[in-house]
Amino acid sequence: MGAAPSNFTEALPATQTDLARELTKDPYVFDFLAQTRPRLERDLEQALMDRMQQTLAELGSGFAFVGRQVHFEVDGDDFYIDLLFFHVTQLRYVVIEFKSGRFTPRDAGQLGFYVALVDDRLRDTDTHAETVGILLCADKHDGVVEYALKTIDQPVAIARYTYDTLPDDVRDLLPSPTEVLGAIDGADDSKAGQAGRK
């Protein structure tokens, strides 16, 4: 696993870039949710809340939970941040947004808006490092991510999430569940045939 693609180098002071990059990885593995199919964003949020200890472990050390669906009002409009964390070692807020489908440039804009909002409304500029955002999506194309990150001024990273602990290239080398069950059934049939001949 590596750090998630981000614009941290351009959007953060040089002294914060590497630290912020340490907050991310790609992909995030939510295998503890025991899911095999995509979930709606709200359902995924709820499942992660139900298993907060495992969620914090997957995010990495230093993350403290602040809230879910954190509400902000701007000029009469309501906005809700999926998950908000505070990193106690780096002293910064971390906004996490979910997208159950493939990443689009629009998603980066929304995340950048939320990062700016938290940075302005919650961050203590005397003691806190700049707020960063992590968008977790079910799928992404690296080229689209690269161009989208160039258009965002706020420090954001884009990462995939998966329910499978194995990378796609390794998983593709393994037999399917149907093939495994077929092999087991074939072995059982072979044993039964041998027992009948004895």
Side-chain angles (χ1 to χ4, degrees), residues 3-53:
S6 72
N7 66 350
F8 293 161
T9 303
E10 296 78 26
L12 290 171
T15 56
Q16 292 187 31
T17 301
D18 288 339
L19 288 173
R21 195 172 289 122
E22 289 175 12
L23 297 176
T24 72
K25 58 182 164 182
D26 191 21
Y28 287 83
V29 180
F30 300 140
D31 57 343
F32 55 88
L33 297 179
Q35 294 294 309
T36 56
R37 60 183 177 78
R39 298 177 80 137
L40 298 174
E41 293 160 21
R42 292 279 173 115
D43 294 340
L44 177 58
E45 280 176 43
Q46 185 60 53
L48 292 171
M49 291 300 90
D50 292 344
R51 297 183 182 234
M52 182 52 75
Q53 185 173 359

Side-chain angles (χ1 to χ4, degrees), residues 183-198:
I184 292 171
D185 289 343
D188 290 343
D189 292 344
S190 174
K191 286 180 186 178
Q194 290 174 356
R197 286 192 294 269
K198 288 185 180 180

Side-chain angles (χ1 to χ4, degrees), residues 25 40 45 47 82 115-116 120 124 130 147 149 156-157 165:
K25 58 182 164 182
L40 298 174
E45 280 176 43
D82 288 346
V115 168
D120 183 58
D124 179 343
E130 290 185 51
Y147 284 115
L149 288 173
V156 299
T165 56

Side-chain angles (χ1 to χ4, degrees), residues 81 93-95 110-121 130-134 154-156:
I81 294 173
Y93 286 99
V94 180
V95 174
Q110 178 185 13
L111 179 60
F113 174 80
Y114 289 155
V115 168
L117 195 55
V118 169
D119 213 52
D120 183 58
R121 301 260 180 108
E130 290 185 51
T131 303
V132 299
I134 303 172
Q154 301 302 320
V156 299

Side-chain angles (χ1 to χ4, degrees), residues 36-107:
T36 56
R37 60 183 177 78
R39 298 177 80 137
L40 298 174
E41 293 160 21
R42 292 279 173 115
D43 294 340
L44 177 58
E45 280 176 43
Q46 185 60 53
L48 292 171
M49 291 300 90
D50 292 344
R51 297 183 182 234
M52 182 52 75
Q53 185 173 359
Q54 290 106 325
T55 300
L56 290 170
E58 179 58 18
L59 291 176
S61 64
F63 280 86
F65 178 66
V66 175
R68 173 183 181 218
Q69 292 297 310
V70 178
H71 176 255
F72 289 94
E73 183 269 326
V74 180
D75 293 336
D77 291 332
D78 294 312
F79 298 93
Y80 297 88
I81 294 173
D82 288 346
L83 298 177
L84 184 60
F85 292 88
F86 189 80
H87 197 275
V88 296
T89 306
Q90 294 190 21
L91 298 178
R92 74 170 77 236
Y93 286 99
V94 180
V95 174
I96 296 184
E97 281 292 304
F98 293 103
K99 295 298 169 191
S100 57
R102 180 176 291 153
F103 169 79
T104 67
R106 180 180 338 108
D107 302 330

